[in-house]
């Protein structure tokens, strides 16, 4: 059984290795890895990237922290919903290439806990906490960006806009 599982994972990894969302190897790796996770959980995973996407002004580790964390949180929240499990990510250049826009949407059902202006984790075990929305917000600010969080009735979204010089 283990041998069969390893072969299946190997096939999936080969599929993802040949999958390409964009030319940026770091961003592409994040998007592909999260695709594997989402699809293994039966979650609809849609990525739409605009042409001439520029992320070169963001340090690799910060890009991994921002995009990786937001997609991880989105997948985790979508997994807990019973219907319409989805994670959607759109990235595109706006204002004639002077803005980088990142949009993350996911289904969710848990009531969110908000303290002052910050969302608090709903995870009971502190060891399960990631870097958090607050830290992602700090990274966005580091690059002069703005982040807006919206919690609708069944969909959660995070929108980030960076000015590209």
């Amino acid at each position: 059984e283990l041998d069969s599982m390893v072969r299946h994972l190997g096939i999936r990894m080969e599929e993802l290795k040949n999958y390409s969302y964009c030319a940026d190897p770091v961003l592409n790796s994040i998007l592909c890895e999260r695709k594997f996770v989402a699809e293994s959980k039966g979650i609809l995973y849609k990525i739409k990237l605009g042409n001439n996407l520029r992320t070169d002004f963001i340090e690799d580790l910060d890009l991994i922290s921002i995009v990786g964390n937001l997609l991880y949180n989105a997948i985790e929240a979508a997994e807990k919903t019973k219907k319409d499990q989805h994670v959607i990510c759109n990235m595109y250049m706006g204002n004639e290439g002077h803005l980088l826009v990142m949009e993350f949407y996911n289904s969710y059902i848990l009531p969110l806990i908000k303290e002052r202006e910050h969302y608090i984790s709903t995870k009971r075990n502190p060891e399960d906490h990631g870097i958090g929305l607050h830290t992602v917000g700090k990274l966005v600010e580091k690059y002069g960006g703005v982040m807006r969080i919206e919690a609708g009735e069944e969909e959660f979204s995070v929108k980030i806009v960076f000015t590209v010089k």
Side-chain angles (χ1 to χ4, degrees):
E1 187 177 326
L2 181 59
D3 185 49
S4 173
M5 189 179 349
V6 169
R7 272 198 309 266
H8 176 71
L9 286 174
I11 291 167
R12 294 287 295 156
M13 293 305 282
E14 280 301 313
E15 287 174 17
L16 290 176
K17 198 163 58 171
N18 296 327
Y19 203 86
S20 180
Y21 286 106
C22 63
D24 180 326
V26 173
L27 180 59
N28 193 63
S29 294
I30 300 164
L31 298 174
C32 286
E33 188 275 334
R34 295 301 191 245
K35 173 184 173 66
F36 177 72
V37 173
E39 289 183 352
S40 72
K41 297 172 185 270
I43 297 169
L44 174 67
Y45 182 82
K46 283 188 180 179
I47 303 294
K48 185 176 179 186
L49 304 181
N51 295 331
N52 304 318
L53 197 62
R54 289 216 25 230
T55 58
D56 56 318
F57 64 95
I58 304 173
E59 293 175 30
D60 290 346
L61 191 56
D62 292 340
L63 185 63
I64 292 166
S65 296
I66 293 167
V67 177
N69 186 68
L70 292 176
L71 286 173
Y72 178 86
N73 288 351
I75 291 167
E76 191 174 63
E79 183 180 19
K80 295 174 182 168
T81 63
K82 299 291 185 243
K83 60 179 181 159
D84 189 30
Q85 295 178 318
H86 67 273
V87 171
I88 300 168
C89 174
N90 302 316
M91 293 186 198
Y92 55 91
M93 302 304 294
N95 194 24
E96 298 181 7
H98 296 289
L99 298 176
L100 169 61
V101 180
M102 297 179 170
E103 302 171 332
F104 302 85
Y105 303 91
N106 63 273
S107 52
Y108 82 105
I109 56 167
L110 292 176
L112 298 171
I113 303 167
K114 196 171 185 180
E115 188 173 283
R116 290 183 236 147
E117 291 303 309
H118 302 291
Y119 286 95
I120 306 299
S121 178
T122 56
K123 298 172 189 163
R124 302 229 186 275
N125 184 352
E127 293 173 8
D128 291 336
H129 295 212
I131 67 168
L133 288 173
H134 179 71
T135 305
V136 169
K138 291 290 185 196
L139 289 171
V140 169
E141 287 175 15
K142 173 181 173 180
Y143 295 95
V146 293
M147 182 170 86
R148 187 173 73 211
I149 299 169
E150 295 178 9
E153 284 188 36
E154 295 179 359
E155 188 171 71
F156 186 82
S157 70
V158 177
K159 297 174 185 170
I160 299 170
V161 178
F162 295 102
T163 300
V164 180
K165 296 174 177 138

